[in-house]
Amino acid sequence: MFPLSHNQFVSLAAAGAFVTLAAFNIPARADELVQLLDPVGPHQPIIASVGNKRVIAFYLPGGNSCAVHAVIGDNDINADTPAVRIRVSLEPGQIVHIDTTENKSLNLQCGSNAEKLSIVDSEEAVAFGMTVESGNETVKASASGF
């Protein structure tokens, strides 16, 4: 083993930290927002930005349906606008559409046998909808099926 000088040790530690952050795909800066966009199983979160809003969603399986829970708030954590929570029960194949006032949408679909919740790109017909007032902004959510 060879002795390391202070400068060599600091350089090696910095390189190791960079490799670790890159390997785990963790944001290196505090102001970067984490996103979890892959299909998830019960109790696991989907975290996404939709326009200027942040959505954290998860579901609980119930029978053969997905009891979806979503919290919608501003991307800016210093904003005075309170977060909004929605709950909706989806049958397999149904999609909940979460729309912002900027015409941006997040579409969450319940998988077959309520095995997963996924983000989908869909232009399905709306089966039902709701509007939630949050401060000065309106958030809309609707659901559709096949």
Side-chain angles (χ1 to χ4, degrees):
M1 186 95 184
F2 60 94
L4 294 176
S5 71
H6 178 70
N7 288 342
Q8 289 173 325
F9 179 77
V10 170
S11 297
L12 183 61
F18 178 78
V19 169
T20 302
L21 289 173
F24 291 106
N25 200 18
I26 298 171
R29 296 179 4 202
D31 61 347
E32 291 180 20
L33 296 175
V34 173
Q35 297 211 88
L36 300 174
L37 307 174
D38 294 331
V40 297
H43 312 285
Q44 297 174 330
I46 287 178
I47 303 174
S49 290
V50 184
N52 66 350
K53 297 296 181 187
R54 189 84 166 144
V55 177
I56 301 173
F58 69 94
Y59 81 100
L60 306 172
N64 194 32
S65 64
C66 298
V68 178
H69 298 252
V71 177
I72 305 158
D74 287 326
N75 272 334
D76 180 6
I77 60 171
N78 297 320
D80 292 332
T81 309
V84 174
R85 179 178 175 204
I86 62 168
R87 294 179 289 169
V88 63
S89 181
L90 300 175
E91 296 297 320
Q94 280 189 316
I95 300 169
V96 64
H97 309 278
I98 300 172
D99 303 323
T100 70
T101 56
E102 303 168 310
N103 291 326
K104 305 286 184 188
S105 296
L106 177 69
N107 305 309
L108 301 173
Q109 182 177 38
C110 180
S112 61
N113 298 318
E115 292 176 356
K116 66 181 180 175
L117 183 66
S118 304
I119 295 176
V120 295
D121 183 20
S122 175
E123 299 196 12
E124 300 292 326
V126 174
F128 73 87
M130 70 178 143
T131 301
V132 179
E133 294 290 334
S134 172
N136 295 334
E137 298 190 43
T138 302
V139 176
K140 296 181 181 179
S142 58
S144 64
F146 297 147

